[in-house]
Amino acid sequence: MAGTASMLCLILITIFIPPLGVFLISGCSVDFLINILLTILGYLPGHIHAFYLEYVYYKNQQAMVAEPAPGVYSDRIQRGGQRQQTYGTIS
């Protein structure tokens, strides 16, 4: 239920301020900067881009997708917010 509530809050935030919605899922990334530019160029392109990124983010939370989504430059969105497993040695 907490995932649904956070998704609804994110959608409401994105309706009013698209770049803020993108920032919440991607952080300060190229996708965030692209969304700011699209929102400045027109309110509708900013919304379309923001909702597409949110769709990819939540879709990738459900299942691990091997193929990256086109037009998404943030690794955090590509992984659905999951941390990347890194293995190495302690020096």
Side-chain angles (χ1 to χ4, degrees):
M1 185 69 173
T4 304
S6 67
M7 184 179 1
L8 290 175
C9 288
L10 184 62
I11 289 171
L12 287 174
I13 290 169
T14 304
I15 288 172
F16 295 109
I17 309 170
L20 182 58
V22 173
F23 178 76
L24 292 174
I25 60 171
S26 73
C28 189
S29 67
V30 174
D31 287 318
F32 174 62
L33 298 174
I34 290 171
N35 192 266
I36 289 174
L37 291 174
L38 287 172
T39 303
I40 289 171
L41 290 173
Y43 205 56
L44 187 61
H47 274 92
I48 293 169
H49 181 255
F51 284 121
Y52 172 69
L53 294 177
E54 290 174 12
Y55 167 76
V56 170
Y57 179 78
Y58 282 107
K59 183 184 80 164
N60 290 346
Q61 270 187 343
Q62 305 286 322
M64 293 301 292
V65 179
E67 246 179 68
V72 178
Y73 302 101
S74 171
D75 288 334
R76 187 172 175 193
I77 293 175
Q78 293 285 4
R79 292 190 313 262
Q82 299 170 4
R83 293 185 178 202
Q84 186 175 7
Q85 294 289 337
T86 56
Y87 301 100
T89 58
I90 299 175
S91 19

